[in-house]
Amino acid sequence: MAESKDGGLVFKPMQQFEVTPLFGDGPVGMFTITNSTMWMALAIIAVVVLMVLGTRSRAIIPSRSQSIAELVYGFVYQMVEDITGKDGVKYFPYIMTLFLFILFSNYLGLLPKAFTPTSHIAVTAVLAVAVFVAVTVIGFVKNGAGFLSLFWVSSAPLALRPILAVIEVISYFVRPVSHSIRLAGNMMAGHAVIKVFAAFAAVVAISPLSILAITAMYGLEMLVAGIQAYVFTILTCVYLKDALHPHH
C-alpha cells in the first residue's frame, strides 16, 4: 500500500514479490544478499532445527518435535517406496530435503511481512531443472540406451509409435516447465488474492467482509502450501520411477 500524489491510497498486490537487497538500496546483482536469500536461509534453518536438533535426543517415548520429524520422515519415505519401488529408496534423502525445503518456504511465506521464495519462477525453475537433470542422468546410467524406450510406446500400433514418440519427447522436455510453473503460480496467486482482499479492509463499509475473505483465503493458503509441496515431491517420484523403469 502506498500513498498517491492526490492523497489517495494505491494498492500494489504484486509488490510483495519484489526481490530487494537486504542491506542498502543498490541494484540486485548475482551475489547480492536479498530478502529472497534470507527467507530461503530461514527455510533451511527450519529444516535443520526440525530434523537435526529436534531429534537429537531420540527416545522410545518421543518428544513433540521428534514425533513431527518421524511423521514427516515416514510419510515421505512411504511415498518414495510406493511410487519408485525399492530401487528408488536410495534417493530418499534428496527427495526428503526437497520436500522439507519447499514445505517450510511455503509456510514461512505466510507470516506477516514475509517473502515467499517459491512464488518466484527463478527459484522453482532451479528446483525443477535439478530434478530433470538428475532423473535423466540416473535414467541413462541405470539403463544406458534402454532409457530411450521411455519414448517408444511398444504397446501402441506400429504406425502410431513414431508420432507417439515425438509427443513423448516433447512432454518429457516440458516437464521442468510445468513442474516449476505449477508451484510458483499457485503460491503467487494465493498471496496476491490475500493482498487484494486486505486492500478493501480500509473501506469501513465492507471491512467485515474483507476480513472474512482474508481469513478464508489464509486458511486455503495453509492448505495449498502443504499440497503444493506434496505435488512437487510426488511428481519428482514419478519422474524418478520413469528413469529407473523406463519400459512402457
Side-chain angles (χ1 to χ4, degrees), residues 31-243:
F31 300 104
T32 304
I33 300 176
T34 64
N35 51 350
S36 180
T37 309
M38 183 186 76
W39 285 97
M40 282 192 285
L42 288 175
I44 294 171
I45 291 171
V47 173
V48 172
V49 168
L50 175 63
M51 302 306 297
V52 179
L53 300 182
T55 60
R56 63 180 176 178
S57 56
R58 290 183 290 275
I60 297 176
I61 301 176
S63 63
R64 192 171 302 174
S65 60
Q66 183 182 336
S67 296
I68 295 172
E70 289 178 353
L71 182 66
V72 175
Y73 183 99
F75 172 74
V76 179
Y77 187 93
Q78 192 66 45
M79 183 200 310
V80 174
E81 188 176 38
D82 288 346
I83 297 174
T84 66
K86 295 292 185 180
D87 294 343
V89 171
K90 67 174 69 174
Y91 306 104
F92 164 75
Y94 174 71
I95 297 174
M96 178 72 171
T97 304
L98 193 65
F99 173 76
L100 287 174
F101 174 75
I102 296 173
L103 187 71
F104 278 110
S105 294
N106 290 352
Y107 278 117
L108 287 174
L110 291 171
L111 296 175
K113 300 294 184 180
F115 182 88
T116 312
T118 46
S119 66
H120 274 253
I121 192 68
V123 175
T124 59
V126 169
L127 298 176
V129 169
V131 170
F132 176 79
V133 171
V135 298
T136 302
V137 171
I138 290 170
F140 279 108
V141 169
K142 289 287 184 181
N143 304 283
F147 178 62
L148 297 176
S149 64
L150 177 66
F151 310 110
W152 189 254
V153 186
S154 56
S155 59
L158 184 60
L160 293 177
R161 291 179 194 176
I163 299 174
L164 292 176
V166 173
I167 295 173
E168 288 289 335
V169 169
I170 293 173
S171 65
Y172 185 82
F173 283 96
V174 168
R175 281 180 177 182
V177 178
S178 60
H179 207 186
S180 57
I181 290 178
R182 181 184 293 105
L183 175 57
N186 277 282
M187 299 312 300
M188 178 178 287
H191 285 58
V193 171
I194 290 175
K195 195 75 170 181
V196 170
F197 283 142
F200 290 103
V203 183
V204 177
I206 60 172
S207 60
L209 291 176
S210 176
I211 293 171
L212 183 63
I214 293 170
T215 304
M217 278 301 303
Y218 198 87
L220 180 61
E221 278 301 286
M222 291 285 289
L223 183 63
V224 169
I227 290 175
Q228 287 305 311
Y230 171 75
V231 169
F232 194 98
T233 308
I234 201 169
L235 286 174
T236 300
C237 293
V238 171
Y239 298 158
L240 179 59
K241 176 189 175 184
D242 289 342

